[in-house]
Amino acid sequence: MDLLLLEELNAERAGRRAAIVVTELGSGRQRLVKAAAIDADPLAPQLAEALRTGRSGMLTLGDERLFLAVEVPAPRLVITGAVHIAQALAPMARLAGLDVTIVDPRTAFATPERFPDVEVHAQWPDVVLPRLGLDAFTAVAALTHDPKIDDPALIEALARDCFYIGALGSRRTHATRLDRLAEKGVPREALARIRAPIGLDIGAASPAEIAVSILAEIVGELRRRPAVDERAGGPATSGQAA
């Protein structure tokens, strides 16, 4: 690989931005297509589909054979609230290939014992989330029912264009939440991106069932989204009580 192309690719990797290396197998020529530039590329439909699936592979166009090497950042799930649902959701999400982080300032709950093999931050979201670098390949699930913990996480997730943003609570609870966030200056059109009640509506009752519904909704958004969205070149409900 050409050194300049490799440097460009490493810059995209470091910035957690998707990209594709297109190799012409006949000539050996290579080029880097960044996610933000896909729409203008002659191979836009094929490249967009490759990014959507996250899979590298061969592409044949007439007599030309190409190899598409897809570079997509690992999807992440940031959970605010070291609660029972999070205890079920974290290992499920890891099995599904997501890097998981728990954020909860309540030190009695946010412990390695309750969340083995998971990154845990016993800090307030408004302190730790800016350091985590949320992005378009990050999902955020707010699970505490506590506005002091969940609201800052939702605001940060919306500002960083996370591909999935969900919050625990009934429709009545969410309506109150929307009013509260709007008063803090979050545009109503942005607030419409929050999935609440969080999770697919499968009649989930137990913490484990609710975790299943949340993970299914996240995976659906991750895999069905457009490969390049209008926000940042990134990856394009159940009935909990109030």
Side-chain angles (χ1 to χ4, degrees):
M1 181 180 291
D2 177 78
L3 180 59
L4 181 59
L5 188 149
L6 179 59
E7 290 176 348
E8 286 188 84
L9 177 59
N10 285 338
E12 296 306 293
R13 288 169 172 164
R16 284 183 53 85
R17 294 183 294 269
I20 299 177
V21 177
V22 180
T23 302
E24 298 176 7
L25 296 184
S27 65
R29 286 193 296 267
Q30 293 182 308
R31 61 191 180 91
L32 179 68
V33 183
K34 300 175 183 179
I38 280 182
D39 284 347
D41 194 274
L43 300 178
Q46 295 90 341
L47 297 180
E49 177 62 14
L51 273 194
R52 187 189 69 79
T53 63
R55 295 173 182 165
S56 301
M58 298 291 302
L59 175 63
T60 301
L61 295 175
D63 296 331
E64 187 175 30
R65 297 177 71 230
L66 307 170
F67 185 78
L68 308 183
V70 180
E71 295 281 343
V72 179
R76 299 184 296 179
L77 170 60
V78 175
I79 302 170
T80 58
V83 296
H84 291 312
I85 296 171
Q87 285 184 286
L89 178 58
M92 292 180 191
R94 292 185 70 238
L95 284 173
L98 281 74
D99 295 334
V100 180
T101 301
I102 303 290
V103 178
D104 194 323
R106 301 171 296 182
T107 55
F109 298 102
T111 67
E113 292 74 23
R114 283 168 56 84
F115 295 92
D117 302 320
V118 173
E119 182 180 347
V120 178
H121 295 272
Q123 296 175 279
W124 291 94
D126 55 350
V127 173
V128 69
L129 291 186
R131 300 202 306 265
L132 294 182
L134 307 188
D135 57 27
F137 294 90
T138 304
V140 172
L143 304 180
T144 72
H145 274 308
D146 185 342
K148 298 190 299 299
I149 299 174
D150 285 347
D151 285 7
L154 295 172
I155 291 171
E156 181 73 8
L158 289 168
R160 300 298 178 183
D161 292 315
C162 294
F163 78 87
Y164 174 88
I165 305 169
L168 192 69
S170 66
R171 289 176 176 80
R172 182 179 61 189
T173 297
H174 187 55
T176 302
R177 176 190 293 126
L178 293 179
D179 291 339
R180 190 170 60 244
L181 293 176
E183 290 174 0
K184 294 180 180 179
V186 183
R188 287 282 181 178
E189 57 270 23
L191 292 173
R193 295 196 55 225
I194 301 174
R195 304 293 187 91
I198 194 171
L200 297 181
D201 186 2
I202 59 173
S206 69
E209 290 173 350
I210 294 171
V212 169
S213 76
I214 295 170
L215 182 58
E217 191 170 54
I218 291 171
V219 171
E221 186 66 17
L222 178 67
R223 295 306 175 198
R224 292 200 299 260
R225 71 188 188 278
V228 181
D229 65 23
E230 297 176 352
R231 303 186 304 277
T237 59
S238 60
Q240 299 93 344

